[in-house]
Amino acid sequence: MKISRRAQRVEPFYVMELAKAAAAQAACAQPGDRPMLYLNIGEPDFTAPPLVQAAAQRAIQAGHSQYTQATGLPALREAISGWYATRFGLDIDPGRIIVTAGASAALQLACLTLIDSGDEVLMPDPSYPCNRQFVQAAEGRAVLIPSGPENRFQLSAAQVEAAWGEATRGVLLASPSNPTGTSIARDELARIAQWVRSKGGVTMVDEIYLGLSFDDAYGQSALGLRGTDGTDLGEDIISINSFSKYFNMTGWRLGWLVVPQALVPSVERLAQNLFICASTIAQHAALACFAPESLAEYERRRAEFKARRDHFIPELDRLGLTVPVMPDGAFYAWADVGQWCQRWGISLKGEQPDQGGSWALAFELMKRCQIAATPGRDFGSAEPWRYLRFSTASSMPHLLEAIDRLEQAL
């Protein structure tokens, strides 16, 4: 059977190979063996708060399960708009908000709406692999630009200007980012957006970790950006967000887009045909996310994620798994494995991607420490062998145990 070229261009999600290996090793564990610690998964260990669960149950019992508008429940769009007002001081018209089947659907809709065959989209390297695959699936080409610790693993305006060409359609950024947990400095992001606007391009910003920001200097939405001349840059921004991370609803598959008003009809047509609507039960449940009691719980959990970061990353640094830039959000540690590869006799850069560096070290950590972490191979091509991503979405006891095991392994 012939496979489409589109499908063939989409790269494998290599982290799943490690996940399968970790699961297989855990399945073979004997009584008394140490359990596998899964620090490879970017999923909060918290679940939806009680009010959200109760709202879902009420919706089911009341029979509120029919299709909604493709753009989502009007009440939920209003609630999201209200969250932008109270959390970020932004006046976002609910008519610009489109509720989607997770951030994945939001990214797909944005890319299909804005990208034509052959269009190029500039992205930092490293970045979340699925984001560039959405560009590929829309027949575009993701152009990855090496972005090191000197730039917080983010693009700079100078890099965007230098890389911009005739085929460039825009930029796709993430702030805070997966895998690094770092955000773009606000003035730098404004310079990027202003340059992109001057070229008639589009600025897409993945903000699914924005609610989990720990530093007020970075924890503001791109929708509030202003240019050097005071103009409102946020009107042009495409913001992608989700109920998965800050709101702890990963499996509910619910997210949203904020787009310029002129794009709403086009995005709505695509949503009608591709998805009909996001899960109705999940939408009714998500209304309870914005109740004062739920928001207070989310803030308590955000403080817990920050406490985990504040303990775990200095411990990694102490053990030689250096994190070059302290993450200001999300729940990741992007650690340099150079010292550990040298200690364990692993070539930092093997002849093949699966022979050295963080890929080989990840399998050694599973074998010696029973710790699963994510090698850099998925996140780009700029020195992926040098970095390993640890997730701090696990509980503090698990993180403390992981540090003990790493220390013993030395």
Side-chain angles (χ1 to χ4, degrees):
M1 181 179 295
K2 181 178 179 294
I3 305 297
S4 72
R5 289 190 294 273
R6 180 186 306 104
Q8 294 180 54
R9 281 197 301 271
V10 174
E11 301 166 14
F13 204 177
Y14 294 106
V15 69
M16 299 311 296
E17 297 302 313
L18 183 132
K20 287 189 291 187
Q25 181 173 322
C28 295
Q30 301 298 312
D33 288 350
R34 296 189 302 193
M36 185 69 68
L37 295 177
Y38 294 97
L39 305 188
N40 59 320
I41 301 171
E43 180 174 36
D45 56 332
F46 300 113
T47 58
L51 288 184
V52 177
Q53 297 180 39
Q57 292 170 346
R58 287 196 304 272
I60 294 170
Q61 291 165 358
H64 294 159
S65 57
Q66 290 85 6
Y67 296 137
T68 71
Q69 299 174 24
T71 52
L73 287 172
L76 183 55
R77 299 166 78 192
E78 291 276 358
I80 294 169
S81 174
W83 183 67
Y84 279 111
T86 56
R87 179 71 184 266
F88 304 109
L90 298 177
D91 181 13
I92 305 298
D93 182 353
R96 295 175 57 193
I97 298 170
I98 298 169
V99 179
T100 60
S104 295
L107 280 158
Q108 184 179 10
L109 289 168
C111 290
L112 290 175
T113 301
L114 295 164
I115 297 171
D116 278 322
S117 178
D119 285 348
E120 295 181 350
V121 177
L122 308 181
M123 300 175 62
D125 186 342
S127 58
Y128 184 58
C130 295
N131 287 6
R132 67 178 183 268
Q133 304 309 333
F134 287 116
V135 174
Q136 300 272 29
E139 305 292 330
R141 187 171 82 88
V143 178
L144 298 183
I145 300 174
S147 306
E150 67 281 0
N151 286 335
R152 301 181 56 79
F153 298 107
Q154 296 280 4
L155 289 186
S156 67
Q159 287 176 306
V160 171
E161 293 179 26
W164 199 277
E166 291 184 5
T168 307
R169 180 70 180 96
V171 297
L172 175 51
L173 312 169
S175 187
S177 167
N178 178 3
T180 65
T182 60
S183 299
I184 309 174
R186 193 159 183 77
D187 57 349
E188 196 69 26
L189 183 54
R191 281 192 286 269
I192 291 172
Q194 192 157 8
W195 167 265
V196 173
R197 172 186 277 187
S198 75
K199 305 300 288 186
V202 59
T203 299
M204 295 180 280
V205 186
D206 174 347
E207 297 190 321
I208 70 173
Y209 294 99
L210 182 61
L212 291 175
S213 293
F214 309 131
D215 188 332
D216 290 342
Y218 299 104
Q220 299 295 319
S221 173
L223 295 168
L225 287 175
R226 294 272 174 183
T228 54
D229 56 358
T231 56
D232 183 356
L233 297 173
E235 292 179 345
D236 295 346
I237 299 292
I238 313 296
S239 173
I240 297 96
N241 218 311
S242 172
F243 285 91
S244 290
K245 309 302 182 179
Y246 176 70
F247 295 101
N248 307 152
M249 295 176 69
T250 50
W252 300 68
R253 307 313 305 133
L254 196 65
W256 73 86
L257 271 172
V258 181
V259 300
Q261 190 67 54
L263 287 184
V264 172
S266 298
V267 177
E268 184 176 8
R269 286 198 305 274
L270 282 169
Q272 288 168 338
N273 284 277
L274 293 177
F275 303 104
I276 301 181
C277 67
S279 163
T280 303
I281 301 299
Q283 291 189 62
H284 280 285
L287 286 168
C289 290
F290 303 102
E293 182 180 330
S294 296
L295 290 173
E297 176 62 15
Y298 287 130
E299 286 301 285
R300 186 194 68 77
R301 295 176 180 186
R302 181 167 72 106
E304 173 63 21
F305 282 124
K306 181 179 183 296
R308 295 173 185 180
R309 178 202 69 166
D310 291 346
H311 178 81
F312 188 71
I313 291 180
E315 287 293 279
L316 287 183
D317 288 338
R318 179 177 65 84
L319 296 175
L321 288 164
T322 306
V323 178
V325 183
M326 185 67 156
D328 57 85
F331 35 64
Y332 301 113
W334 188 238
D336 188 317
V337 301
Q339 292 185 44
W340 276 60
C341 286
Q342 184 177 20
R343 286 169 176 164
W344 285 4
I346 297 171
S347 171
L348 187 57
K349 182 183 178 182
E351 293 183 6
Q352 299 297 325
D354 59 353
Q355 289 182 348
S358 61
W359 183 268
L361 182 65
F363 282 87
E364 284 298 312
L365 288 177
M366 277 193 295
K367 182 173 68 176
R368 301 191 195 193
C369 304
Q370 293 74 55
I371 294 173
T374 302
R377 185 178 180 184
D378 270 317
F379 300 102
S381 55
E383 295 191 316
W385 55 84
R386 180 172 292 280
Y387 294 101
L388 191 70
R389 190 195 75 180
F390 292 92
S391 169
T392 55
S394 294
S395 68
M396 185 68 87
H398 282 178
L399 296 175
L400 294 173
E401 174 65 18
I403 292 298
D404 284 345
R405 293 184 190 182
L406 289 170
E407 192 156 26
Q408 291 169 23
L410 290 177

